[in-house]
Amino acid sequence: AQKVTQAQTEISVVEKEDVTLDCVYETRDTTYYLFWYKQPPSGELVFLIRRNSFDEQNEISGRYSWNFQKSTSSFNFTITASQVVDSAVYFCALSVYGVSNFGNEKLTFGTGTRLTIIP
Amino acid sequence: GAVVSQHPSWVICKSGTSVKIECRSLDFQATTMFWYRQFPKQSLMLMATSNEGSKATYEQGVEKDKFLINHASLTLSTLTVTSAHPEDSSFYICSARDKEVPEAFFGQGTRLTVV
């Protein structure tokens, strides 16, 4: 069974500060994908990034960066120079790698971190 | 990314009536769609996995007769909440996966209020 833990329930930071959202996962499978999704107040989940278990390279996309470390089973998400528009609930998720295609595998979600950026 | 459209965005219905929610993949074929329920300030709870042309697979504790799922085509899955009661009020959200990519894409969600 898979498990995703987001220990930070709520975080508040002042605008322009950097903030890191933690994600720790558990799985016995050797091939898997990790994801981050953003859920703004409107409710829709917005896909941000995926990482497969064989790719530990960190990634940067604008103000967003992700740090994947298999040794600690962590996939942390950092927002630099935070903005009010970053206020949302962020979910980390895991999916076991499918053999033939990606269609059927369930996503295991963490409980989410509610991020509030204070103007 | 791929687009998933969910309709309606919100609905208010009377207790005892049924409500149908549609989930469409607009630019890809989704052999599998997923239905989630989300309570306020909580994570997403998977209700069922919807497979095109076959019966849905429900998670433990989810009433099959109350939450009817139909996946009649590769681009459409529907969730019908039958004989709705106030405790069914919640945010329902669907997702679909394009078999070519590992990430799931989500609909806008439907906020159901049963009065």
Side-chain angles (χ1 to χ4, degrees):
Chain A
Q2 290 78 38
K3 183 178 179 181
V4 177
T5 301
Q6 294 179 256
Q8 304 152 308
T9 305
E10 296 189 22
I11 299 176
S12 294
V13 299
V14 176
E15 194 173 20
K16 297 185 182 178
E17 287 185 353
D18 299 347
V19 58
T20 296
L21 309 182
D22 298 332
C23 173
V24 175
Y25 63 93
E26 295 176 31
T27 180
R28 292 185 177 180
D29 293 88
T30 56
T31 52
Y32 51 87
Y33 277 92
L34 294 163
F35 308 87
W36 276 96
Y37 286 88
K38 174 182 180 180
Q39 187 178 39
S42 60
E44 179 180 3
L45 266 78
V46 178
F47 164 72
L48 296 178
I49 192 171
R50 67 167 142 92
R51 260 290 173 267
N52 76 49
S53 51
F54 298 111
D55 182 4
E56 286 194 72
Q57 281 191 337
N58 293 329
E59 181 156 339
I60 298 174
S61 176
R63 297 183 296 106
Y64 296 170
S65 63
W66 292 268
N67 183 296
F68 175 30
Q69 292 192 349
K70 288 182 72 172
S71 61
T72 56
S73 297
S74 66
F75 186 42
N76 297 335
F77 174 28
T78 298
I79 302 174
T80 58
S82 61
Q83 300 176 3
V84 173
V85 292
D86 296 327
S87 296
V89 179
Y90 290 86
F91 289 98
C92 180
L94 178 147
S95 178
V96 172
Y97 191 103
V99 175
S100 57
N101 65 66
F102 302 112
N104 300 325
E105 294 74 36
K106 301 176 187 178
L107 277 172
T108 299
F109 282 92
T111 50
T113 298
R114 182 176 299 276
L115 175 64
T116 301
I117 308 301
I118 303 167
Chain B
V3 179
V4 176
S5 177
Q6 187 172 340
H7 179 81
S9 298
W10 59 270
V11 58
I12 301 173
C13 71
K14 291 185 177 181
S15 187
T17 62
S18 295
V19 173
K20 180 184 284 188
I21 302 169
E22 293 187 348
C23 181
R24 295 180 183 273
S25 56
L26 297 186
D27 51 1
F28 67 99
Q29 293 185 333
T31 55
T32 303
M33 291 185 176
F34 304 89
W35 288 96
Y36 296 85
R37 181 173 182 176
Q38 186 178 31
F39 292 101
K41 296 191 176 183
Q42 293 191 25
S43 188
L44 287 81
M45 181 191 78
L46 180 65
M47 299 175 65
T49 302
S50 167
N51 299 293
E52 188 268 335
S54 63
K55 291 183 179 180
T57 302
Y58 289 82
E59 296 298 301
Q60 191 173 7
V62 178
E63 298 178 61
K64 301 178 183 180
D65 295 333
K66 166 163 279 296
F67 300 102
L68 299 179
I69 292 173
N70 184 284
H71 194 157
S73 76
L74 288 172
T75 59
L76 174 65
S77 176
T78 60
L79 168 67
T80 301
V81 183
T82 63
S83 187
H85 292 286
E87 56 265 31
D88 298 325
S89 298
S90 191
F91 188 67
Y92 294 87
I93 191 165
C94 70
S95 78
R97 296 178 86 157
D98 180 342
K99 64 180 181 179
E100 302 299 326
V101 295
E103 54 268 25
F105 296 95
F106 287 79
Q108 303 92 325
T110 298
R111 191 163 303 281
L112 171 63
T113 302
V114 185
V115 298

